[in-house]
Amino acid sequence: MSLIKFNNRNRLFPSWNNDSLKTLLGNDAFFNLDFFEDDSLMPAMNVKEHDKDFEIEFAAPGFSKEDFEITIKDNMLNVCGEKKNEVEEKDENYTRKEFSYSSFQRSLNLPETINTDQEVKATYKKGILKLNLQKKEGIKEQQKKIIEVL
């Protein structure tokens, strides 16, 4: 028996299987790409825990710092990025207009140890969005509990 990864997160038509969708759209090579399940729409993320803070990094190349919206509400961190680019060229005989659009949204449930009252430091450099979230002071760190498997 083999294991098959199930990912229903980005599917446009979740009740259809991929073969039905490909048959509907034809046998063109463009439609053989499984773009409905493409994880590239979600930026890679690293979370590092330090003694006094958490450091969260998002790989978001091609964005500028103005393209991000970062909010915290009810211990939920929301990071959104939206980039629009539009170029128009006009000449006597033609008009050329090109545009591109890309966006993402990540939501993280923050632990109770995060001090949401303190300012979150956010920097964007070389395609990496870095957030520093301070921990609350005076909270005792839980000891690691080892559970024996029987």
Side-chain angles (χ1 to χ4, degrees), residues 139-150:
I139 292 185
K140 199 190 306 184
E141 187 175 318
Q142 288 184 331
Q143 295 296 321
K144 183 177 179 181
K145 182 177 181 180
I146 298 174
I147 300 171
E148 183 178 338
V149 179
L150 302 175

Side-chain angles (χ1 to χ4, degrees), residues 80-96:
C80 303
E82 182 177 61
K83 177 177 72 165
K84 297 176 184 178
N85 188 19
E86 193 171 303
V87 177
E88 186 172 346
E89 180 181 322
K90 291 186 177 186
D91 199 2
E92 288 181 24
N93 299 327
Y94 69 91
T95 299
R96 181 178 65 101

Side-chain angles (χ1 to χ4, degrees), residues 72-131:
I72 295 177
K73 183 178 181 184
D74 299 329
N75 277 354
M76 184 70 72
L77 172 70
N78 292 305
V79 179
C80 303
E82 182 177 61
K83 177 177 72 165
K84 297 176 184 178
N85 188 19
E86 193 171 303
V87 177
E88 186 172 346
E89 180 181 322
K90 291 186 177 186
D91 199 2
E92 288 181 24
N93 299 327
Y94 69 91
T95 299
R96 181 178 65 101
K97 189 172 187 177
E98 295 182 19
F99 64 94
S100 64
Y101 175 81
S102 88
S103 68
F104 71 89
Q105 179 176 351
R106 296 286 308 246
S107 296
L108 300 168
N109 195 6
L110 298 175
E112 295 294 325
T113 58
I114 296 291
N115 187 351
T116 56
D117 296 331
Q118 196 168 14
E119 184 178 336
V120 174
K121 182 180 176 190
T123 58
Y124 182 70
K125 195 183 288 186
K126 295 184 180 180
I128 304 293
L129 174 65
K130 187 184 292 187
L131 306 174

Side-chain angles (χ1 to χ4, degrees), residues 15 19 29 35 37 46 48-49 54 58 60-62 67-68 73 102 112-113 128 130 138 142 149-150:
S15 62
D19 294 333
F35 62 93
E37 292 182 5
N46 291 325
K48 301 174 190 174
E49 182 176 6
F54 281 92
F58 296 92
D67 295 333
F68 297 106
K73 183 178 181 184
S102 88
E112 295 294 325
T113 58
I128 304 293
K130 187 184 292 187
Q142 288 184 331
V149 179
L150 302 175

Side-chain angles (χ1 to χ4, degrees), residues 42-59:
M42 199 66 68
M45 178 179 73
N46 291 325
V47 178
K48 301 174 190 174
E49 182 176 6
H50 303 289
D51 291 336
K52 296 186 178 192
D53 68 346
F54 281 92
E55 183 179 303
I56 304 173
E57 298 174 324
F58 296 92

Side-chain angles (χ1 to χ4, degrees), residues 29-45:
F30 174 77
F31 295 111
N32 288 332
L33 299 174
D34 201 359
F35 62 93
F36 297 116
E37 292 182 5
D38 190 8
D39 284 336
S40 67
L41 301 174
M42 199 66 68
M45 178 179 73

